[in-house]
Amino acid sequence: MSATIASPASAPVRDAGWSTQTGQVFRRWMVGTARQAWGPVMSLIQPIIWILLFGQVFASLGAFPAFGDAGYLAYLVPGVLMMTVLYSGAWAGTGYIDDIRSGVMDQLLTAPISRTAIITGQLLQQLVINLAQSAIVLGIGWLGGARYPGGLPGILLALAAATLLAAAFCSMSSAVALTTRNQVALIGLSQTVVLPATFLSTTMMPADLLPDWIAAVAAWNPLTWAVEAGRAGLDGTAFDGSGDGLLVAGRMLLLALLAAASFVWAVSSLRSYQRSA
């Protein structure tokens, strides 16, 4: 999502510290979001359909022991939560492509502003949007009949997992956008990654009910890591001493490492863009 503002080069950033620069970039993108709020709102239609429609259509699946006593809807909500984050994150780079086309990116790169601040400010804006969407998805799930035995700690854990997943895929999308500089290429690559990642995971079905080869792939899928961490938090098994706590810690560590590596890739892609501009 592009934000229309005055020339970034005219901003008083010459003597500002990194945190101030990051805050100015963050504010710029948040202003753009406020002006085009329909985008984040429209992206909530899909999770509403998944939860309220698919949750009812496949409610009978809850009779399988693999779904536990809470039913299929409670199993589905964490998956829909992470799917929403994944889909939103895949589009994060479109704002950079708009900036490249409009010349705003060149103005940013000629301003005395840290390259990591440019990436971090936009990433923080994406994470704020994703956090708000994630909270709404959990609210929709609760209204649909899902319950969260994990309570507030479980909800916070699910939101933390969603945020790490968002950080990873938003950074990846930004890196691809800055590398390809092409909207069509970004859309094509996003669809190539998003759809297989969704179905080669445990978002809708537990690993026990998946074909062996899909279950093997799902174990290495970041979407599965986030879903399993969020699901263990919401159903409370992350805190009951059953051993899921260690699994969750491992999944969160993997997500954090992926987010860090993706961020480094995005910063490197921005610097490569600057050298070639």
Side-chain angles (χ1 to χ4, degrees):
M1 182 182 301
S2 177
T4 303
I5 60 169
S7 171
S10 65
V13 297
R14 183 174 299 277
D15 300 321
W18 182 86
S19 59
T20 300
Q21 295 174 3
T22 300
Q24 290 174 337
V25 175
F26 170 75
R27 178 181 178 277
R28 177 233 170 172
W29 286 101
M30 287 302 296
V31 169
T33 299
R35 292 174 178 172
Q36 303 179 36
W38 58 268
V41 172
M42 291 297 292
S43 65
L44 289 170
I45 292 178
Q46 188 173 25
I48 291 174
I49 293 175
W50 277 101
I51 292 174
L52 300 184
L53 180 58
F54 281 72
Q56 295 299 317
V57 170
F58 297 106
S60 59
L61 291 176
F64 285 88
F67 294 103
D69 298 329
Y72 183 67
L73 181 62
Y75 182 89
L76 179 65
V77 168
V80 174
L81 168 63
M82 303 308 170
M83 285 165 55
T84 303
V85 167
L86 180 64
Y87 294 158
S88 296
W91 292 93
T94 57
Y96 284 123
I97 292 178
D98 289 341
D99 277 1
I100 291 172
R101 289 176 175 174
S102 65
V104 172
M105 180 61 73
D106 292 336
Q107 295 179 45
L108 274 172
L109 294 176
T110 57
I113 182 172
S114 168
R115 303 308 173 238
T116 58
I118 294 175
I119 297 295
T120 304
Q122 194 259 10
L123 177 60
L124 288 176
Q125 175 258 353
Q126 292 289 334
L127 295 183
V128 168
I129 301 263
N130 276 278
L131 186 61
Q133 290 177 327
S134 298
I136 292 173
V137 168
L138 290 178
I140 293 170
W142 188 86
L143 291 174
R147 293 296 178 263
Y148 311 130
L152 180 59
I155 292 174
L156 293 178
L157 176 58
L159 292 176
T163 300
L164 287 175
L165 184 68
F169 278 89
C170 286
S171 296
M172 288 182 194
S173 178
S174 297
V176 171
L178 291 167
T179 300
T180 64
R181 309 170 198 178
N182 185 286
Q183 186 86 346
V184 175
L186 177 61
I187 293 173
L189 287 171
S190 297
Q191 293 300 318
T192 301
V193 171
V194 167
L195 288 178
T198 299
F199 292 104
L200 296 175
S201 70
T202 58
T203 56
M204 292 176 283
M205 287 289 169
D208 293 344
L209 299 181
L210 295 173
D212 291 342
W213 72 270
I214 294 182
V217 173
W220 295 97
N221 186 342
L223 184 57
T224 294
W225 303 342
V227 168
E228 290 181 348
R231 190 170 284 143
L234 293 177
D235 66 18
T237 57
F239 315 108
D240 63 2
S242 63
D244 282 354
L246 292 176
L247 174 66
V248 168
R251 298 301 190 224
M252 295 294 282
L253 177 60
L254 288 172
L255 288 170
L257 292 174
L258 179 63
S262 300
F263 178 81
V264 171
W265 182 22
V267 174
S268 175
S269 297
L270 178 61
R271 288 173 174 158
S272 296
Y273 170 84
Q274 183 178 14
R275 289 193 296 268
S276 64

